Amino acid sequence: MKKLCAFAFFIFLHFGLQAQEVLKNPAEFLGYPLGTHFTPHHKIVSYFEYMAQHSENISLQYYGETIEKRPLMVAFVGAKNKIDSLEFYRANNRRMALLEKGMTLPNDSTVTVWLSYNVHGNEASSSEVSMKMLYGLVEQIEAQKADWTDNTLVVIDPCLNPDGRDRYVNWYNSTVGMFPNPNMEAEEHHEPWPGGRSNHYYHDLNRDWVWQTQVESQARVQLFLDWMPHLHLDFHEQYPDSPYYFAPATEPYHEAITDFQREFQITYGKANAEHFDANGWLYFTKEWFDLLYPAYGDTYPTFNGGIGMTLEQAGHGIAGLTVERKGEDNLTLSDRIAHHYQSGWTAIEVASEHSRDLISAYKSYFEDAKTSPKSKYKSYVLKIGNNPHRLEEVRKLLDQQGIEYGRALVNKSYRGFNYMNGKDETFKLDASDIIISAYQAKSKIANVLLEPKTHLSDSLTYDITAWSLPYVYGIPAFASTERIYTTNYFEIPQQQVVVEDSLRKPVGYILEWNSVEEARLLSALLQENVRVKFNKKAFAHGEKTFSPGSVIINRQSNRHLQSEFDDFIAQISSQYDVIPYPLFSGYSTSGADLGSDKISHLNQPNVAIVRGEGISSTSYGSLWHYMDFDINYPFTGIDIHRLNSAALNSHDVLILPDGNYRALSESQKSQIHQWISNGGKLIAIRHAIRLFKDQEGYSVKTYANEEEEKNYAPIKEQNASYGERLRNQVSNDIPGAIFKVKLDPDHPLSYGYDDNYFTMKIGKERIARLEKGWNVGTIDGMDSWISGFVGYRTKPTLEKSLIIGTENIGAGTIVYMADDPIFRSFWYGGKLMLANAIFYVNQ
């Protein structure tokens, strides 16, 4: 009996103590109060895992990992019955969006609120907030004070950019002393290049929601579209002297945004203003941050039927734990956490209060899109042209967005806008055409991505103003005001190579040069020590004509492969999805024979890219990503301070990313000039051209002569009021617009292109046509302007300007690229041109 009583007492004590166990708040778990230290990413993950293990109101989902192998995860937080039914709520959201079949609960008004933290790694306060928010939500639920749990499910992504965050946090924690110094001159406020804003490949993930060039974006957006949340908040930081920013956003709003989406921004803004007012916190709304460019964390969710909003807290990577401000108290990390924390809570409260309105508007958004789209164009037709790989890349992007497409039910003629020449004309459908109908649930995002010209309600914009897919990918396309009925499937016809004589082995193979896929295969061949050649002029074999730049692989030149030659070519071509054409004779029907000296050897280049002080980290990152992923070609990253004769002489190609090169000494400039003269090839992108512009010994200039300068010099400000100056500055600039560039079709930079190329132009800087050299790509007049805002004072200066050119310096060459050909890694149309610059120019 005594033993039984003792056992009962033990059970009571054990479970009594368990019942009294309280979840650790972030300070108790981490060992320091939030706001006194920046938390490394692995500790944030550990806290989320700890909370999920000890609370039935949390469910974690790992959705991917970064390049540096850090986990990507979200936490679902809500009432236990909702956490136990996550799959139902996920499917229910998509059913309301008409993206999955099935009935939705008629009386259920559960809204999904998605909180995204730390997309920019050095805007580091928000991941600290994520831990506070997770604990605060669960604390309310357990205290039974969470009315919002009846109709709200919260999703927390604690860190969208773990690699960038840790780059910043590790630097800051190793730099700050025992007493954080608010003085802006202190080292802890001066982050070294490249900074922690971007991810591993120095990409801005907040501009990658649509394009998904980065692994983090690909994984995150897939999960996001699986859930299709109703409200999304994207937490950011701006510079320390700015007050807090929250919605409503400023104009321009894209015309695809509905009245309800606009009104809800105001509803949220007013509610958050009340909380900020109660605390005496300063803020601003309706300024700077617009809702136009679709690749942001506010616009992308909005174009997918939800409400997307940006929150901007003062701080940024220069703020550290504390920083002095003009006319204000020092800004601390604790202040930053408090402000973002309140903005998150406001979103949950407002969403819960207006859940039925949110759900009703959400359903209407997709029902209207599917049955009565408001866009001008009802159908978009993408044609295969001479480049099936480009069309395949567009298909992949459409699949990532969940945009439906198919083939036409009837192949007949329609009228529509021709993207290539800007004219309305009749076109005929082909079996290989991709047809995208506006009559679908994803009508809004499809229209935004395909509209030929973006409507601007205001010229003051935060980012680029044009991005239409046919121009991004350089493919022929039409937009029609008629509805074209389609099948619900599509398959690109497979190219077939007819083998003329199965009894004879080919004397070689040839690869057409049309896309970056061929460049990737060429890269692989060179790294496998396969000897390749290329044609500088078109030639024909039988009925097949091969354009300049085609890759020729002769059996005789690759005797080291012996009997494995044919199998090797077949295997490596299949790996890169490129079809090699067999050549059974060295005799050409027209043009040079295979043994002619007009068929040139292609040497394997040794490539270097400059990085470091003054260089645009995003430009370098795009090049890095291009070399690693687009063409799979090794290169050497050289710090600008180590750029000397020894480094130069061990490379054939030197790429200068966009940036300023003030860190280069006169001695280094002289060594670069000598290296080019000795046969080196230098590729200068955007502002890197300033290193040579208007300098003795180089022909690249702002204006070709005094007469041209007189005609095209920018108009100077006169008698402008202080308030007018900002808008007048815009009239002198280009925030991001698309132009058609006329190409010299015979130049190696033009291999694989027609007579034209579409470029993304940012900024007003002008380059005159080269007096000595090759003007490969030029803008002849404003007829070249395709889409996007261009300041009226800038338009005249673009006439007769250079976009792409080359200049011979001694035995070497400089390639001038006034615009970034692989802008943000999504400008597919320029990727082949960069490959041309690396592999073909000066060969």
Side-chain angles (χ1 to χ4, degrees):
M1 182 69 178
K2 288 182 180 179
K3 288 182 179 180
L4 182 62
C5 290
F7 178 72
F9 177 75
F10 171 77
I11 294 296
F12 169 80
L13 182 64
H14 174 72
F15 284 101
L17 288 174
Q18 272 201 334
Q20 294 174 25
E21 184 180 358
V22 178
L23 286 172
K24 294 180 181 178
N25 63 34
E28 293 166 333
F29 183 87
L30 298 170
Y32 52 84
L34 289 179
T36 62
H37 194 77
F38 282 112
T39 307
H41 180 257
H42 72 275
K43 288 190 175 182
I44 297 171
V45 172
S46 294
Y47 184 65
F48 271 68
E49 291 174 339
Y50 158 78
M51 289 289 288
Q53 289 168 2
H54 293 82
S55 173
E56 61 186 9
N57 302 111
I58 301 172
S59 176
L60 290 188
Q61 180 174 342
Y62 296 88
Y63 63 86
E65 66 178 17
T66 70
I67 291 292
E68 297 176 19
K69 305 302 180 184
R70 293 182 176 89
L72 297 164
M73 58 183 276
V74 294
F76 296 90
V77 189
K80 185 178 184 302
N81 66 318
K82 286 184 168 48
I83 296 300
D84 291 342
S85 306
L86 287 179
E87 174 55 25
F88 166 78
Y89 287 104
R90 184 205 64 78
N92 199 49
N93 285 354
R94 289 182 58 83
R95 288 168 186 162
M96 286 189 286
L98 305 179
L99 297 172
E100 286 188 18
K101 293 182 179 179
M103 296 293 294
T104 60
L105 284 181
N107 296 319
D108 186 85
S109 58
T110 298
V111 292
T112 306
V113 178
W114 198 293
L115 308 177
S116 289
Y117 296 101
N118 222 158
V119 68
H120 293 146
N122 60 0
E123 298 175 11
S125 69
S126 64
S127 282
E128 310 291 336
V129 179
S130 73
M131 293 183 282
K132 183 178 176 69
M133 179 60 73
L134 181 68
Y135 180 79
L137 290 168
V138 174
E139 186 181 39
Q140 265 206 6
I141 295 171
E142 292 191 348
Q144 298 183 344
K145 295 180 179 179
D147 294 338
W148 55 268
T149 57
D150 293 337
N151 60 8
T152 308
L153 180 65
V154 180
V155 187
I156 300 176
D157 190 328
C159 188
L160 280 65
N161 181 9
D163 292 351
R165 177 183 174 82
D166 270 4
R167 188 185 311 129
Y168 172 76
V169 168
N170 291 338
W171 165 78
Y172 184 85
N173 287 345
S174 68
T175 304
V176 69
M178 183 68 71
F179 305 101
N181 191 338
N183 189 321
M184 278 293 294
E185 298 306 315
E187 184 64 20
E188 65 208 65
H189 300 294
H190 298 276
E191 202 180 351
W193 193 93
R197 176 182 176 86
S198 51
N199 74 338
H200 174 84
Y201 278 103
Y202 305 166
H203 278 63
D204 185 336
L205 296 180
N206 190 41
R207 289 163 169 81
D208 198 42
W209 281 77
V210 161
W211 313 113
Q212 299 170 44
T213 67
Q214 304 301 294
V215 295
E216 297 93 339
S217 305
Q218 292 161 12
R220 181 183 71 253
V221 176
Q222 180 181 343
L223 177 66
F224 188 90
L225 295 181
D226 277 346
W227 271 86
M228 295 292 289
H230 307 96
L231 180 60
H232 178 256
L233 269 69
D234 197 20
F235 292 85
H236 289 263
E237 293 188 65
Q238 53 194 331
Y239 290 112
D241 286 327
S242 298
Y244 196 96
Y245 164 81
F246 51 82
T250 188
E251 293 287 353
Y253 279 60
H254 194 282
E255 59 186 349
I257 295 174
T258 67
D259 290 341
F260 178 82
Q261 288 172 324
R262 285 172 171 262
E263 291 162 4
F264 193 88
Q265 290 234 338
I266 297 172
T267 300
Y268 171 83
K270 288 180 177 179
N272 209 36
E274 288 184 13
H275 289 296
F276 272 56
D277 289 341
N279 286 284
W281 297 336
L282 295 178
Y283 55 88
F284 70 98
T285 64
K286 305 180 291 295
E287 295 181 59
W288 293 113
F289 303 103
D290 57 63
L291 289 174
L292 183 71
Y293 180 47
Y296 280 119
D298 51 11
T299 49
Y300 187 78
T302 301
F303 296 142
N304 276 284
I307 312 289
M309 294 187 290
T310 290
L311 293 310
E312 291 273 356
Q313 163 61 45
H316 213 275
I318 62 176
L321 292 175
T322 179
V323 66
E324 59 191 9
R325 294 192 292 177
K326 297 175 183 176
E328 299 285 343
D329 292 336
N330 291 347
L331 175 68
T332 67
L333 178 57
S334 296
D335 296 329
R336 294 149 65 188
I337 291 171
H339 301 160
H340 265 338
Y341 183 66
Q342 178 57 66
S343 293
W345 268 115
T346 302
I348 294 165
E349 292 166 356
V350 172
S352 177
E353 182 181 350
H354 297 274
S355 64
R356 294 197 177 278
D357 292 336
L358 274 168
I359 295 296
S360 175
Y362 186 84
K363 290 179 178 178
S364 296
Y365 183 96
F366 294 101
E367 289 167 358
D368 292 345
K370 196 160 188 174
T371 59
S372 56
K374 303 298 189 295
S375 57
K376 174 183 177 181
Y377 297 109
K378 307 306 180 187
S379 305
Y380 299 93
V381 180
L382 308 181
K383 292 187 165 288
I384 197 167
N386 64 350
N387 197 330
H389 284 115
R390 293 192 184 193
L391 197 62
E392 182 63 18
E393 289 300 315
V394 179
R395 270 220 315 160
K396 290 177 184 176
L397 185 71
L398 296 175
D399 289 341
Q400 286 175 325
Q401 313 304 326
I403 295 172
E404 296 175 351
Y405 55 87
R407 283 184 180 157
L409 290 174
V410 180
N411 290 342
K412 66 175 188 176
S413 295
Y414 290 88
R415 282 194 65 80
F417 174 86
N418 185 339
Y419 286 81
M420 298 298 104
N421 61 22
K423 297 177 181 178
D424 285 322
E425 56 189 37
T426 301
F427 64 95
K428 184 171 175 43
L429 295 178
D430 297 316
S432 59
D433 292 344
I434 287 179
I435 314 294
I436 303 160
S437 173
Y439 292 84
Q440 62 170 293
K442 287 295 189 82
S443 175
K444 292 288 181 76
I445 186 67
N447 177 65
V448 169
L449 294 179
L450 287 157
E451 58 188 355
K453 292 186 185 293
T454 308
H455 172 73
L456 290 174
S457 59
D458 195 313
S459 58
L460 283 174
T461 59
Y462 193 71
D463 210 309
I464 63 174
T465 56
W467 49 80
S468 188
L469 297 185
Y471 302 126
V472 171
Y473 289 90
I475 57 173
F478 291 86
S480 176
T481 56
E482 297 181 65
R483 181 176 183 179
I484 301 175
Y485 290 88
T486 69
T487 64
N488 58 359
Y489 68 91
F490 181 88
E491 198 172 312
I492 291 183
Q494 294 296 311
Q495 292 179 291
Q496 298 293 329
V497 176
V498 178
V499 179
E500 298 175 0
D501 189 343
S502 59
L503 299 178
R504 287 190 299 162
K505 290 185 176 181
V507 300
Y509 294 89
I510 186 166
L511 312 172
E512 291 190 284
W513 188 258
N514 288 318
S515 69
V516 72
E517 281 73 18
E518 281 86 26
R520 193 177 302 137
L521 176 53
L522 172 60
S523 166
L525 291 169
L526 292 173
Q527 292 176 71
E528 291 286 348
N529 296 315
V530 176
R531 298 182 182 94
V532 299
K533 298 181 179 181
F534 70 100
N535 57 320
K536 293 185 177 180
K537 298 287 184 180
F539 69 90
H541 267 246
E543 297 180 357
K544 181 70 176 177
T545 299
F546 296 98
S547 301
S550 296
V551 179
I552 303 164
I553 314 162
N554 291 325
R555 183 184 301 275
Q556 179 69 18
S557 301
N558 291 282
R559 285 176 294 177
H560 61 284
L561 293 174
Q562 300 179 1
S563 61
E564 297 178 0
F565 178 74
D566 299 283
D567 289 341
F568 174 81
I569 298 301
Q571 182 180 5
I572 197 168
S573 299
S574 175
Q575 181 181 343
Y576 291 94
D577 195 27
V578 175
I579 297 178
Y581 288 85
L583 300 172
F584 290 93
S585 174
Y587 182 83
S588 297
T589 309
S590 65
D593 297 326
L594 294 191
S596 169
D597 59 6
K598 295 179 181 177
I599 305 293
S600 300
H601 288 279
L602 200 155
N603 298 316
Q604 182 176 355
N606 200 338
V607 181
I609 305 176
V610 178
R611 54 177 287 145
E613 181 185 349
I615 309 300
S616 164
S617 60
T618 54
S619 179
Y620 177 85
S622 292
L623 290 164
W624 181 10
H625 189 266
Y626 174 83
M627 301 297 284
D628 277 7
F629 283 88
D630 287 309
I631 65 172
N632 304 149
Y633 197 78
F635 76 98
T636 304
I638 300 179
D639 188 89
I640 192 169
H641 295 293
R642 293 189 294 103
L643 195 60
N644 53 33
S645 294
L648 289 166
N649 291 336
S650 59
H651 296 90
D652 311 300
V653 178
L654 179 67
I655 304 179
L656 302 185
D658 185 20
N660 76 69
Y661 286 79
R662 290 190 291 268
L664 282 179
S665 67
E666 291 303 317
S667 174
Q668 287 177 299
K669 294 176 186 178
S670 176
Q671 291 173 65
I672 291 172
H673 183 87
Q674 189 59 52
W675 172 79
I676 299 171
S677 300
N678 291 340
K681 178 167 57 182
L682 183 143
I683 302 169
I685 298 175
R686 290 202 71 212
H687 293 129
I689 296 175
R690 291 177 180 176
L691 190 59
F692 312 98
K693 191 176 178 184
D694 301 320
Q695 300 296 312
E696 186 177 350
Y698 306 98
S699 64
V700 61
K701 301 181 184 303
T702 304
Y703 302 104
N705 49 50
E706 290 183 4
E707 184 63 25
E708 189 174 68
E709 182 175 5
K710 178 181 176 182
N711 291 337
Y712 299 116
I715 301 170
K716 295 181 180 179
E717 288 295 345
Q718 290 181 342
N719 303 321
S721 70
Y722 183 84
E724 293 173 330
R725 285 186 182 178
L726 183 59
R727 292 196 173 274
N728 287 342
Q729 288 172 8
V730 172
S731 68
N732 282 318
D733 206 358
I734 304 174
I738 299 171
F739 284 80
K740 181 191 285 188
V741 177
K742 182 179 179 182
L743 293 178
D744 175 355
D746 296 324
H747 194 279
L749 282 172
S750 301
Y751 289 171
Y753 290 88
D754 296 325
D755 293 346
N756 298 298
Y757 159 73
F758 295 99
T759 188
M760 171 63 71
K761 174 159 281 300
I762 295 176
K764 61 184 179 181
E765 187 156 6
R766 184 180 197 276
I767 298 175
R769 295 186 184 189
L770 302 173
E771 212 172 284
K772 298 177 182 178
W774 300 98
N775 295 297
V776 182
T778 57
I779 290 177
D780 291 339
M782 279 312 294
D783 288 345
S784 302
W785 172 65
I786 297 297
S787 180
F789 176 78
V790 179
Y792 75 92
R793 296 178 178 180
T794 300
K795 289 180 181 180
T797 71
L798 295 175
E799 293 184 26
K800 299 181 180 179
S801 62
L802 179 75
I803 300 299
I804 307 152
T806 64
E807 177 181 10
N808 293 333
I809 305 291
T813 302
I814 301 180
V815 179
Y816 299 116
M817 293 184 156
D819 299 328
D820 188 343
I822 56 170
F823 179 69
R824 294 181 184 169
S825 290
F826 79 77
W827 199 260
Y828 184 91
K831 291 182 176 181
L832 186 64
M833 187 165 292
L834 183 57
N836 289 341
I838 292 170
F839 293 117
Y840 285 132
V841 171
N842 207 30
Q843 285 274 13

mmCIF file of all heavy atoms in Angstrom, residues 245-251 253 266 283-289:
data_model
loop_
_atom_site.group_PDB
_atom_site.id
_atom_site.type_symbol
_atom_site.label_atom_id
_atom_site.label_comp_id
_atom_site.label_asym_id
_atom_site.label_seq_id
_atom_site.Cartn_x
_atom_site.Cartn_y
_atom_site.Cartn_z
ATOM 1 N N TYR A 245 8.304 52.814 -42.827
ATOM 2 C CA TYR A 245 7.355 52.868 -43.955
ATOM 3 C C TYR A 245 6.423 51.664 -43.898
ATOM 4 O O TYR A 245 6.849 50.529 -43.662
ATOM 5 C CB TYR A 245 8.089 52.839 -45.301
ATOM 6 C CG TYR A 245 7.150 52.497 -46.444
ATOM 7 C CD1 TYR A 245 6.330 53.468 -47.006
ATOM 8 C CD2 TYR A 245 7.039 51.183 -46.903
ATOM 9 C CE1 TYR A 245 5.431 53.146 -48.017
ATOM 10 C CE2 TYR A 245 6.141 50.851 -47.908
ATOM 11 C CZ TYR A 245 5.340 51.834 -48.468
ATOM 12 O OH TYR A 245 4.448 51.514 -49.451
ATOM 13 N N PHE A 246 5.135 51.929 -44.140
ATOM 14 C CA PHE A 246 4.181 50.840 -44.362
ATOM 15 C C PHE A 246 3.124 51.301 -45.357
ATOM 16 O O PHE A 246 3.064 52.476 -45.735
ATOM 17 C CB PHE A 246 3.546 50.347 -43.052
ATOM 18 C CG PHE A 246 2.945 51.413 -42.170
ATOM 19 C CD1 PHE A 246 1.672 51.912 -42.398
ATOM 20 C CD2 PHE A 246 3.656 51.894 -41.073
ATOM 21 C CE1 PHE A 246 1.120 52.873 -41.562
ATOM 22 C CE2 PHE A 246 3.116 52.855 -40.229
ATOM 23 C CZ PHE A 246 1.841 53.353 -40.477
ATOM 24 N N ALA A 247 2.302 50.355 -45.817
ATOM 25 C CA ALA A 247 1.280 50.625 -46.829
ATOM 26 C C ALA A 247 0.278 51.662 -46.299
ATOM 27 O O ALA A 247 0.124 51.801 -45.086
ATOM 28 C CB ALA A 247 0.568 49.328 -47.188
ATOM 29 N N PRO A 248 -0.391 52.362 -47.227
ATOM 30 C CA PRO A 248 -0.489 52.107 -48.658
ATOM 31 C C PRO A 248 0.731 52.574 -49.447
ATOM 32 O O PRO A 248 1.417 53.513 -49.059
ATOM 33 C CB PRO A 248 -1.738 52.883 -49.078
ATOM 34 C CG PRO A 248 -1.827 54.000 -48.085
ATOM 35 C CD PRO A 248 -1.342 53.418 -46.788
ATOM 36 N N ALA A 249 0.946 51.865 -50.572
ATOM 37 C CA ALA A 249 2.068 52.186 -51.448
ATOM 38 C C ALA A 249 1.748 53.435 -52.259
ATOM 39 O O ALA A 249 0.634 53.966 -52.225
ATOM 40 C CB ALA A 249 2.349 51.015 -52.379
ATOM 41 N N THR A 250 2.759 53.893 -52.991
ATOM 42 C CA THR A 250 2.567 55.052 -53.846
ATOM 43 C C THR A 250 2.291 54.615 -55.274
ATOM 44 O O THR A 250 2.503 53.465 -55.638
ATOM 45 C CB THR A 250 3.820 55.958 -53.809
ATOM 46 O OG1 THR A 250 3.542 57.181 -54.501
ATOM 47 C CG2 THR A 250 5.014 55.289 -54.463
ATOM 48 N N GLU A 251 1.815 55.535 -56.098
ATOM 49 C CA GLU A 251 1.709 55.279 -57.534
ATOM 50 C C GLU A 251 3.118 55.218 -58.121
ATOM 51 O O GLU A 251 4.028 55.848 -57.587
ATOM 52 C CB GLU A 251 0.903 56.394 -58.208
ATOM 53 C CG GLU A 251 -0.565 56.450 -57.803
ATOM 54 C CD GLU A 251 -1.409 55.321 -58.404
ATOM 55 O OE1 GLU A 251 -0.869 54.576 -59.254
ATOM 56 O OE2 GLU A 251 -2.567 55.186 -58.008
ATOM 57 N N TYR A 253 0.567 52.212 -59.344
ATOM 58 C CA TYR A 253 0.004 50.874 -59.148
ATOM 59 C C TYR A 253 -0.193 50.276 -60.535
ATOM 60 O O TYR A 253 -0.668 50.966 -61.441
ATOM 61 C CB TYR A 253 -1.365 50.943 -58.475
ATOM 62 C CG TYR A 253 -1.366 51.120 -56.981
ATOM 63 C CD1 TYR A 253 -0.790 52.219 -56.367
ATOM 64 C CD2 TYR A 253 -2.002 50.188 -56.174
ATOM 65 C CE1 TYR A 253 -0.823 52.390 -54.996
ATOM 66 C CE2 TYR A 253 -2.053 50.351 -54.787
ATOM 67 C CZ TYR A 253 -1.458 51.455 -54.212
ATOM 68 O OH TYR A 253 -1.500 51.623 -52.850
ATOM 69 N N ILE A 266 -4.991 50.563 -47.703
ATOM 70 C CA ILE A 266 -5.369 51.718 -46.873
ATOM 71 C C ILE A 266 -5.903 51.248 -45.524
ATOM 72 O O ILE A 266 -5.572 51.817 -44.476
ATOM 73 C CB ILE A 266 -6.416 52.572 -47.610
ATOM 74 C CG1 ILE A 266 -5.818 53.152 -48.897
ATOM 75 C CG2 ILE A 266 -6.937 53.689 -46.709
ATOM 76 C CD1 ILE A 266 -6.828 53.844 -49.800
ATOM 77 N N TYR A 283 6.457 57.549 -38.871
ATOM 78 C CA TYR A 283 6.306 56.669 -40.028
ATOM 79 C C TYR A 283 5.933 57.510 -41.240
ATOM 80 O O TYR A 283 5.618 58.702 -41.134
ATOM 81 C CB TYR A 283 5.221 55.618 -39.769
ATOM 82 C CG TYR A 283 3.883 56.216 -39.371
ATOM 83 C CD1 TYR A 283 2.948 56.583 -40.346
ATOM 84 C CD2 TYR A 283 3.554 56.427 -38.027
ATOM 85 C CE1 TYR A 283 1.733 57.144 -39.987
ATOM 86 C CE2 TYR A 283 2.345 56.975 -37.669
ATOM 87 C CZ TYR A 283 1.431 57.331 -38.644
ATOM 88 O OH TYR A 283 0.235 57.892 -38.288
ATOM 89 N N PHE A 284 5.953 56.894 -42.407
ATOM 90 C CA PHE A 284 5.422 57.537 -43.606
ATOM 91 C C PHE A 284 4.770 56.479 -44.485
ATOM 92 O O PHE A 284 5.087 55.280 -44.408
ATOM 93 C CB PHE A 284 6.494 58.312 -44.370
ATOM 94 C CG PHE A 284 7.537 57.462 -45.055
ATOM 95 C CD1 PHE A 284 7.449 57.158 -46.407
ATOM 96 C CD2 PHE A 284 8.648 56.993 -44.350
ATOM 97 C CE1 PHE A 284 8.418 56.394 -47.037
ATOM 98 C CE2 PHE A 284 9.621 56.233 -44.970
ATOM 99 C CZ PHE A 284 9.513 55.930 -46.324
ATOM 100 N N THR A 285 3.832 56.910 -45.321
ATOM 101 C CA THR A 285 3.128 56.029 -46.260
ATOM 102 C C THR A 285 3.028 56.764 -47.598
ATOM 103 O O THR A 285 3.355 57.946 -47.710
ATOM 104 C CB THR A 285 1.708 55.697 -45.765
ATOM 105 O OG1 THR A 285 0.936 56.903 -45.722
ATOM 106 C CG2 THR A 285 1.737 55.079 -44.373
ATOM 107 N N LYS A 286 2.583 56.031 -48.627
ATOM 108 C CA LYS A 286 2.269 56.622 -49.937
ATOM 109 C C LYS A 286 3.465 57.327 -50.580
ATOM 110 O O LYS A 286 3.292 58.257 -51.352
ATOM 111 C CB LYS A 286 1.090 57.600 -49.823
ATOM 112 C CG LYS A 286 -0.177 56.998 -49.215
ATOM 113 C CD LYS A 286 -1.300 57.985 -49.115
ATOM 114 C CE LYS A 286 -1.064 59.066 -48.095
ATOM 115 N NZ LYS A 286 -0.996 58.580 -46.703
ATOM 116 N N GLU A 287 4.681 56.877 -50.277
ATOM 117 C CA GLU A 287 5.877 57.465 -50.873
ATOM 118 C C GLU A 287 6.868 56.365 -51.252
ATOM 119 O O GLU A 287 6.958 55.342 -50.587
ATOM 120 C CB GLU A 287 6.556 58.429 -49.891
ATOM 121 C CG GLU A 287 5.750 59.661 -49.532
ATOM 122 C CD GLU A 287 6.512 60.558 -48.569
ATOM 123 O OE1 GLU A 287 7.632 61.008 -48.911
ATOM 124 O OE2 GLU A 287 6.011 60.778 -47.449
ATOM 125 N N TRP A 288 7.612 56.612 -52.306
ATOM 126 C CA TRP A 288 8.775 55.829 -52.735
ATOM 127 C C TRP A 288 8.436 54.444 -53.272
ATOM 128 O O TRP A 288 8.887 54.059 -54.337
ATOM 129 C CB TRP A 288 9.817 55.702 -51.621
ATOM 130 C CG TRP A 288 10.472 56.994 -51.265
ATOM 131 C CD1 TRP A 288 10.355 57.676 -50.088
ATOM 132 C CD2 TRP A 288 11.330 57.791 -52.096
ATOM 133 N NE1 TRP A 288 11.088 58.843 -50.132
ATOM 134 C CE2 TRP A 288 11.707 58.934 -51.360
ATOM 135 C CE3 TRP A 288 11.815 57.652 -53.397
ATOM 136 C CZ2 TRP A 288 12.527 59.922 -51.884
ATOM 137 C CZ3 TRP A 288 12.637 58.622 -53.918
ATOM 138 C CH2 TRP A 288 12.992 59.750 -53.161
ATOM 139 N N PHE A 289 7.695 53.671 -52.504
ATOM 140 C CA PHE A 289 7.515 52.261 -52.850
ATOM 141 C C PHE A 289 6.206 52.054 -53.613
ATOM 142 O O PHE A 289 5.125 52.153 -53.037
ATOM 143 C CB PHE A 289 7.554 51.403 -51.580
ATOM 144 C CG PHE A 289 8.825 51.589 -50.802
ATOM 145 C CD1 PHE A 289 8.840 52.367 -49.649
ATOM 146 C CD2 PHE A 289 10.019 51.036 -51.238
ATOM 147 C CE1 PHE A 289 10.010 52.561 -48.933
ATOM 148 C CE2 PHE A 289 11.189 51.225 -50.535
ATOM 149 C CZ PHE A 289 11.196 51.993 -49.382
#
